[in-house]
Amino acid sequence: MAQRVVIDPLTRIEGHLRIELETGNHKIDKAWSETTQFRGIETIVAGRDPRDAWAFVQRICGVCTSVHAVASIVAVENAIGSNPPTQARLIRDMVLASQNIQDHVIHFYHLHALDWVNVPSAATADPQKAVDFAKAIGSTWKGNTVARMTEVRDTVKGILDSGQLTIFTGGYWNHPDYRLPPEANLMAVAHYLDALQFQRSMIRIGTVFGGKNPHPNFLVGGMACTIDPSHSESINQVQIDQIRQWIAESAEFVNDCYLPDATAIMGVYKDYFDIGAAQPNYLAVGLAGATYAGDPAASRLTSAFTAVKPGAIYDGDLGTVHPFDPTRIAEWVSSAWYTYQDGDVGLTPDKGETTPHYTGPQPPYDWVADHPQYTWSKAPRYDGRVVQVGPVARVMLAYAQGHPATKALVDAATKKLGITVGQLNSTAGRTLARALECSVLADILARTTFPTFVKNLKGGDIDVFDPSKWEPSSWPASSSGFSLVEVPRGFLSHWVSVEKGKVARYQAVVPTTWLAGGRDAQGRQGPYEESLAGKGQHPLADPSQPLEPLRTIHSFDPCMSCAVHVMDPEGAELQVATS
């Protein structure tokens, strides 16, 4: 008889996710992905000034704030015909790049690595052997010293001796499938701590250009910051020099530390390149940071990332890249707590509706999947297919198009690990693909985007705002637009309709919706569900310690809502939810 297993809350993600499983004989038979948080941002911006929409919709997420802001601004610019200057677009590129790099590093070390790295084991490690291990895997990170490893080992010892594991409380540390030797665990814990310092530097780039973080400032038609190398109140030479240093530090950390760690650790868990595959259909509009205002076939590219064209890959066939067509995107609500005016017909986002209709059990509940509707996440489909988005989709698309840097890194990694490119569609593959992409992205930022921005500055180009379409009187009475942006977790699109100067309709199709959505009208599972239950072979050794499904779900880097923040201006409590 199948055993029911519930993982709720699924931690070390953004937002709230519940996974329900039916399992037997240590394998997963069925899976349901349940987003238990409602995102109502689309309804909040209706009727507002479209120039303000970015400030609201960047609250979709508490972390990926910049990417939603940029997506919103580009969609509005597409609708009203605004054309931001080159320097403003380059600034957005740098903000998006720093967000992507920071997010990938945080995901690997702080959200995902503890699925593979046993922290208490590090207390028994020999620091010299930890340094030797780092050298053996090709890590040239400057933190690989005996003094640093000794310091970290003693810190872990101190935590264990205190009887409280602090931030590491709740881990399945006695699970038998932790495989790294103590020295590798010590190296990884040291790098976990170093990554905390690194990610602080990376986010400063967005802070300089946006004024603060999270929720930096942006502007329809350009950027809210000003540039004047000789004035302290503007982006000046001092800040440009700081940004140059932070970009160099990011490339150093990614290539010397992150990429070697990810490759080596996934190599130890090599069988996970055959676990956790989802549907082999991939959708992306380019490399991370690629930004389009409207249909790529008919409109301009607003970013510097031109090397990889938008496209889709079906059934794992890397020999054929299908042209991207935004009209092939549709969202279904077959398993979601929404209702459409005309029923579950699969609406394109430009005609999308966000009408909540909760039909699930009243909390507290033990099991949700007995109900046809079980999630707040719609189920997007492209060309009628379930697709994967995110780093693995971008890497597959870039590889299929022969992008030199991506192809070189993928070929080197697959050869070293003894796997095929197709095996990147897996739990370990998604994790490795993210590190490979991060290396490419850090190089583009350091060698292309930032130098181009500086070169333009030297040529006297400090213009960051197009005022021609600022006043609503310059807009058409009725218009619509959309944006396509590649962000850390995948393909993001915002869709806006403007009527008489106000937002008439707004939809955001976020990467995690593509991945976490449930079954559609044909009963096809979303990628999370397929990765756990698709072949009926996903392991789950001990239902009381569901480490294996955590590894697979974490490999997607879930960002569920991403965290709706509602507050009273007086600080009063709004509502208490219990379960």
Side-chain angles (χ1 to χ4, degrees):
M1 181 178 178
Q3 180 179 358
R4 288 182 165 184
V5 177
V6 176
I7 307 174
D8 184 18
L10 197 149
T11 58
R12 284 185 277 124
I13 64 171
E14 306 298 336
H16 303 290
L17 175 64
R18 174 185 173 101
I19 296 291
E20 293 188 352
L21 305 170
E22 285 189 356
T23 179
N25 196 28
H26 304 300
K27 304 290 184 185
I28 296 173
D29 299 320
K30 296 179 181 178
W32 293 266
S33 168
E34 298 160 353
T35 303
T36 57
Q37 182 180 28
F38 171 63
R39 188 191 75 217
I41 293 290
E42 288 95 335
T43 61
I44 291 175
V45 297
R48 295 184 184 274
D49 189 323
R51 295 170 297 181
D52 295 338
W54 68 268
F56 291 91
V57 301
Q58 72 168 322
R59 266 74 181 180
I60 285 174
C61 181
V63 177
C64 305
T65 57
S66 298
V67 302
H68 285 292
V70 171
S72 176
I73 284 171
V74 174
V76 171
E77 289 169 347
N78 181 233
I80 65 176
S82 180
N83 188 21
T86 298
Q87 289 295 75
R89 285 184 268 147
L90 285 167
I91 290 174
R92 292 177 188 174
D93 285 351
M94 287 188 278
V95 171
L96 290 176
S98 65
Q99 169 93 60
N100 273 279
I101 294 170
Q102 185 216 23
D103 202 279
H104 284 359
V105 169
I106 289 176
H107 170 260
F108 180 70
Y109 286 104
H110 306 132
L111 303 180
H112 192 29
L114 301 187
D115 297 334
W116 319 99
V117 175
N118 190 327
V119 175
S121 164
T124 65
D126 180 333
Q128 179 60 61
K129 291 183 179 177
V131 173
D132 295 340
F133 181 87
K135 290 180 179 176
I137 66 169
S139 173
T140 56
W141 176 236
K142 59 189 177 185
N144 297 333
T145 66
V146 174
R148 174 60 174 162
M149 297 299 172
T150 302
E151 178 188 13
V152 173
R153 182 201 60 185
D154 292 346
T155 298
V156 175
K157 275 185 175 181
I159 292 173
L160 294 176
D161 291 344
S162 74
Q164 298 183 15
L165 279 176
T166 63
I167 61 172
F168 302 118
T169 300
Y172 302 133
W173 305 123
N174 61 346
H175 196 287
D177 199 38
Y178 277 111
R179 306 175 193 172
L180 296 176
E183 285 70 27
N185 286 316
L186 175 58
M187 178 204 72
V189 173
H191 294 172
Y192 173 106
L193 298 173
D194 293 342
L196 288 172
Q197 295 293 326
F198 162 82
Q199 63 95 9
R200 185 182 63 174
S201 293
M202 280 308 295
I203 207 62
R204 284 173 174 166
I205 296 174
T207 305
V208 167
F209 288 122
K212 62 188 180 70
N213 187 73
H215 306 125
N217 296 308
F218 292 90
L219 182 68
V220 170
M223 284 296 296
C225 60
T226 58
I227 303 175
D228 188 337
S230 61
H231 284 79
S232 60
E233 297 83 2
S234 303
I235 306 299
N236 55 38
Q237 189 61 53
V238 173
Q239 292 162 325
I240 292 169
D241 289 343
Q242 288 177 327
I243 291 170
R244 179 184 288 106
Q245 178 183 338
W246 294 329
I247 290 174
E249 289 175 359
S250 74
E252 178 185 34
F253 186 85
V254 168
N255 291 314
D256 295 356
C257 190
Y258 174 26
L259 183 56
D261 283 1
T263 305
I265 291 174
M266 291 305 98
V268 173
Y269 292 90
K270 189 175 174 180
D271 52 321
Y272 272 84
F273 285 103
D274 295 313
I275 294 171
Q279 295 86 347
N281 305 317
Y282 310 99
L283 178 67
V285 296
L287 297 171
T291 305
Y292 285 91
D295 187 346
S299 71
R300 57 191 163 78
L301 176 73
T302 70
S303 65
F305 297 84
T306 59
V308 177
K309 307 303 179 188
I313 295 170
Y314 297 155
D315 303 320
D317 178 12
L318 298 180
T320 304
V321 176
H322 299 267
F324 176 81
D325 180 355
T327 66
R328 296 179 186 272
I329 298 172
E331 292 188 294
W332 301 80
V333 293
S334 318
S335 56
W337 291 309
Y338 297 95
T339 183
Y340 283 164
Q341 205 167 26
D342 296 326
D344 186 22
V345 293
L347 292 178
T348 54
D350 59 321
K351 298 179 176 62
E353 301 172 12
T354 304
T355 306
H357 182 60
Y358 183 73
T359 59
Q362 293 302 310
Y365 41 70
D366 297 323
W367 189 256
V368 179
D370 286 335
H371 303 259
Q373 289 76 40
Y374 54 84
T375 178
W376 283 112
S377 179
K378 298 177 183 177
R381 299 290 183 261
Y382 180 79
D383 199 14
R385 299 169 183 260
V386 181
V387 300
Q388 292 191 64
V389 299
V392 72
R394 292 192 288 258
V395 167
M396 290 290 195
L397 188 68
Y399 190 89
Q401 294 183 25
H403 181 248
T406 301
K407 194 169 187 308
L409 282 171
V410 169
D411 286 342
T414 53
K415 181 180 180 181
K416 184 174 186 177
L417 293 166
I419 62 171
T420 66
V421 177
Q423 284 178 279
L424 293 178
N425 179 19
S426 62
T427 302
R430 282 183 287 271
T431 303
L432 178 62
R434 191 171 283 104
L436 297 172
E437 176 187 73
C438 201
S439 179
V440 173
L441 187 56
D443 186 68
I444 291 174
L445 178 60
R447 296 178 183 272
T448 303
T449 315
F450 179 71
T452 303
F453 174 72
V454 172
K455 180 183 176 183
N456 293 345
L457 285 182
K458 290 179 178 177
D461 188 353
I462 58 173
D463 183 14
V464 295
F465 178 57
D466 166 29
S468 65
K469 296 292 183 181
W470 178 251
E471 294 298 335
S473 58
S474 66
W475 305 347
S478 175
S479 63
S480 61
F482 62 94
S483 62
L484 313 168
V485 189
E486 285 294 340
V487 303
R489 294 167 178 84
F491 167 48
L492 169 69
S493 59
H494 281 220
W495 306 69
V496 62
S497 297
V498 180
E499 301 284 349
K500 299 179 180 178
K502 302 294 182 184
V503 174
R505 183 194 298 272
Y506 203 100
Q507 288 289 304
V509 185
V510 308
T512 295
T513 315
W514 285 98
L515 300 168
R519 290 156 173 80
D520 58 24
Q522 285 74 47
R524 294 172 301 189
Q525 302 173 111
Y528 284 9
E529 297 171 337
E530 177 74 12
S531 70
L532 293 172
K535 296 180 180 178
Q537 294 298 312
H538 195 293
L540 176 53
D542 179 0
S544 69
Q545 298 186 92
L547 181 62
E548 301 93 335
L550 282 179
R551 288 171 172 167
T552 292
I553 294 299
H554 281 154
S555 73
F556 288 97
D557 193 11
C559 187
M560 304 315 301
S561 51
C562 323
V564 177
H565 302 288
V566 180
M567 60 177 290
D568 180 270
E570 302 301 323
E573 186 174 78
L574 295 174
Q575 185 176 0
V576 176
T578 59
S579 62

